[in-house]
């Protein structure tokens, strides 16, 4: 029987996944993630024999991916703003949209030192850990209502050697004192949009991190009503929003804080996806 080289394994996966509507990039994400290699390392090892156990695992993962299982969960990790993060079905998979929120904050506050920051509904810890990684002088706290998600965030903080505080509880309740910056990528998908969502997201990612009542606005409404005691003078709030929610979210915060400056920021595709509230 001919040996199974890394090249042949990749080509098999390209063909198999294409029949199920997946791209070559999806295959390479799985293969490189499993091997913990760069693309250059894969290319330089193309003609080497792939160990039988690795080949069997790769076949299994490709087939599961083609059944809709998220490849990030198969690998147990993903990349976010230059960090490698553990992910599990207890956490939402961090996405490039949220990297733009991190970049917005870092660009906006690049000259600021010693800020007190809270990442609300942190999940894997993606936002807060990316901020801490780039701004070591910031005092960063991560909160989540899910103990299982917070355990993942704790593992990520430990693996990355980042000194952050982790607090379990509902929304702002775990916070103590006042903060210069509060950031959140909360659940914001209305239940009525469930049929429009990708099937793998619906089936495998945690509903608690996806859906919100009141047409997707429930968490923003709570933040607007509950945030005041946690704000330092001239504090800022940064939020990820659904692409059609900008006007409603603006109105919620201006109703509670008429003197606040509420700014909508578009993502790289031109959609309204972020809100900054300057109190």
């Amino acid at each position: 029987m001919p040996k199974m080289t890394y090249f042949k394994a990749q080509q098999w996966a390209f063909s198999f996944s294409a029949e199920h509507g997946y791209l070559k990039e999806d295959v390479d994400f799985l293969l490189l993630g499993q091997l913990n290699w760069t693309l250059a390392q894969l290319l330089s090892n193309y003609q080497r024999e792939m160990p039988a156990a690795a080949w069997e695992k790769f076949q299994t993962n490709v087939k599961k991916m083609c059944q809709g299982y998220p490849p990030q969960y198969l690998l147990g990790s993903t990349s976010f703003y230059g960090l490698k993060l553990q992910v599990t079905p207890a956490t939402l998979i961090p996405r490039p949209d949220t990297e733009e929120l991190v970049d917005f904050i870092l660009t906006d506050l690049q000259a600021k030192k010693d800020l007190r920051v809270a990442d609300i509904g942190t999940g894997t810890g993606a936002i807060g850990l990316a901020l801490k990684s780039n701004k070591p002088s910031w005092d960063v706290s991560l909160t989540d209502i899910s103990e299982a998600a917070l355990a993942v965030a704790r593992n990520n903080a430990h693996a990355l050697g980042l000194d952050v505080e982790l607090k379990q509880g509902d929304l702002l309740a775990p916070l103590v004192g006042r903060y210069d910056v509060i950031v959140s990528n909360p659940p914001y998908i209305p239940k009525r949009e469930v049929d429009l969502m990708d099937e793998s997201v619906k089936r495998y990612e945690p509903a608690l991190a996806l859906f919100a009542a009141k047409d997707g606005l429930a968490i923003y409404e709570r933040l607007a009503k509950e945030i005041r005691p946690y704000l330092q003078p001239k504090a800022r709030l940064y939020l990820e929003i659904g692409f059609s929610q900008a006007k409603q979210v603006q109105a919620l915060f201006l109703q509670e804080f008429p003197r606040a400056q509420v700014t909508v920021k578009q993502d790289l595709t031109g959609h309204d996806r972020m809100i900054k509230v300057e109190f």
Side-chain angles (χ1 to χ4, degrees):
M1 180 178 175
K3 68 179 182 178
M4 178 54 62
T5 63
Y6 288 102
F7 175 77
K8 290 178 180 177
Q10 183 195 49
Q11 296 305 305
W12 166 82
F14 282 165
S15 176
F16 185 90
S17 61
E19 294 174 3
H20 295 80
Y22 286 82
L23 304 174
K24 291 182 177 181
E25 289 83 354
D26 301 316
V27 169
D28 283 343
F29 179 84
L30 266 185
L31 183 55
L32 296 175
Q34 177 181 325
L35 300 172
N36 199 27
W37 282 358
T38 65
L39 182 58
Q41 287 175 305
L42 175 62
L43 294 173
S44 66
N45 285 281
Y46 254 171
Q47 296 308 314
R48 283 182 53 201
E49 184 172 5
M50 191 174 191
W55 166 230
E56 184 176 346
K57 180 179 179 181
F58 182 53
Q59 290 180 86
T60 299
N61 283 348
V62 169
K63 290 173 182 177
K64 284 186 176 180
M65 179 183 74
C66 290
Q67 293 168 359
Y69 200 85
Q72 295 89 342
Y73 289 159
L74 290 168
L75 295 174
S77 65
T78 194
S79 295
F80 180 86
Y81 211 80
L83 305 178
K84 184 176 181 179
L85 299 177
Q86 178 192 10
V87 293
T88 77
T91 65
L92 200 66
I93 297 168
R95 288 172 167 78
D97 292 347
T98 308
E99 290 181 317
E100 292 190 50
L101 178 63
V102 170
D103 200 63
F104 179 28
I105 297 169
L106 291 172
T107 301
D108 204 34
L109 301 173
Q110 57 183 326
K112 301 289 187 180
K113 296 181 179 180
D114 304 323
L115 295 180
R116 197 157 189 247
V117 181
D119 173 15
I120 307 302
T122 193
T124 59
I127 295 174
L129 294 176
L131 294 176
K132 182 67 175 180
S133 176
N134 283 273
K135 291 289 186 179
S137 69
W138 290 4
D139 179 0
V140 178
S141 295
L142 314 179
T143 80
D144 206 289
I145 194 171
S146 165
E147 291 185 5
L150 208 62
V152 175
R154 184 175 291 106
N155 289 342
N156 283 326
H158 179 75
L160 294 166
L162 296 173
D163 183 15
V164 296
E165 189 168 6
L166 296 106
K167 302 170 181 282
Q168 191 272 330
D170 183 23
L171 209 60
L172 299 164
L175 299 184
V176 177
R178 297 177 182 268
Y179 292 77
D180 302 291
V181 177
I182 296 177
V183 57
S184 185
N185 174 21
Y188 57 71
I189 300 174
K191 294 287 182 67
R192 59 179 170 77
E193 291 185 4
V194 66
D195 292 336
L196 304 177
M197 296 173 61
D198 185 86
E199 189 64 30
S200 69
V201 176
K202 290 189 292 184
R203 289 177 62 189
Y204 297 108
E205 297 197 49
L208 183 66
L210 292 168
F211 300 104
K214 297 188 177 180
D215 211 26
L217 299 172
I219 304 301
Y220 303 117
E221 182 178 297
R222 283 191 57 195
L223 283 169
K225 291 182 179 297
E226 298 173 17
I227 201 170
R228 192 182 300 272
Y230 303 98
L231 299 174
Q232 291 275 25
K234 299 183 179 180
R236 302 184 187 193
L237 170 69
Y238 295 85
L239 298 168
E240 185 170 320
I241 60 171
F243 67 89
S244 64
Q245 295 175 325
K247 290 183 178 179
Q248 297 99 312
V249 175
Q250 271 186 309
L252 287 171
F253 283 94
L254 288 173
Q255 181 179 335
E256 297 293 329
F257 299 90
R259 296 183 180 180
Q261 182 176 340
V262 184
T263 305
V264 178
K265 185 171 176 62
Q266 295 182 331
D267 63 15
L268 294 176
T269 63
H271 294 107
D272 295 338
R273 291 303 310 277
M274 291 161 275
I275 289 272
K276 175 176 68 171
V277 185
E278 297 175 85
F279 297 97

